[in-house]
Amino acid sequence: MGRRILIVDDAAFMRMMVKDILTKNGFEVVGEAADGAQAVEKYMELKPDLVTMDITMPEMDGITALKKIKEKDPSAMIIMCSAMGQQAMVIDAIQAGAKDFIVKPFQADRVVEAIEKALG
């Protein structure tokens, strides 16, 4: 089972937090991106097994990036990360093909559970 992850979040400390959770649980973080445009670029370059994607970012938001990645690779595994109160956006993301979502502030076990479930 592939365990190569791309982390996408405009906040460096959030990327660091997710990376820490993932590496401690045996996942390999192969790349990071700070906005949706970078995410699409890095996805095509790195071909990760899964992406954790923030919803609200500058340049290109997570839902737009999700749609662009899914256009290029319909089998892409993407888990959205959202702040509380972003239910409408989460629904949009799931309809656009996101596998799951995790809510900030992150709970390590929930992050791992969502990724394990998505990777099956």
Side-chain angles (χ1 to χ4, degrees):
M1 171 177 64
R3 297 172 75 84
R4 300 169 63 254
I5 317 283
L6 170 64
I7 300 171
V8 185
D9 199 304
D10 56 329
F13 78 95
M14 290 308 285
R15 292 196 308 271
M16 204 169 73
M17 194 186 293
V18 175
K19 185 176 187 174
D20 189 51
I21 292 168
L22 296 179
T23 49
K24 280 181 178 158
N25 285 279
F27 295 97
E28 181 192 354
V29 175
V30 292
E32 296 180 27
D35 64 51
Q38 273 184 18
V40 176
E41 211 172 276
K42 292 257 176 145
Y43 183 88
M44 298 321 293
E45 176 195 326
L46 300 167
K47 300 278 193 276
D49 298 306
L50 186 134
V51 181
T52 64
M53 178 88 70
D54 187 24
I55 291 183
T56 313
M57 295 181 290
E59 303 297 323
M60 182 192 292
D61 67 54
I63 294 175
T64 306
L66 162 75
K67 289 175 180 167
K68 287 192 178 296
I69 290 171
K70 284 294 222 179
E71 262 169 37
K72 296 178 192 305
D73 180 2
S75 66
M77 294 280 187
I78 302 171
I79 292 178
M80 305 308 285
C81 304
S82 72
M84 289 298 246
Q86 290 185 312
Q87 277 81 352
M89 287 183 188
V90 167
I91 291 165
D92 285 352
I94 299 287
Q95 287 171 340
K99 282 280 168 220
D100 203 346
F101 66 95
I102 41 183
V103 178
K104 298 174 182 178
F106 297 127
Q107 291 171 295
D109 54 354
R110 174 68 187 116
V111 173
V112 174
E113 177 194 318
I115 290 174
E116 296 277 8
K117 194 175 95 186
L119 291 173

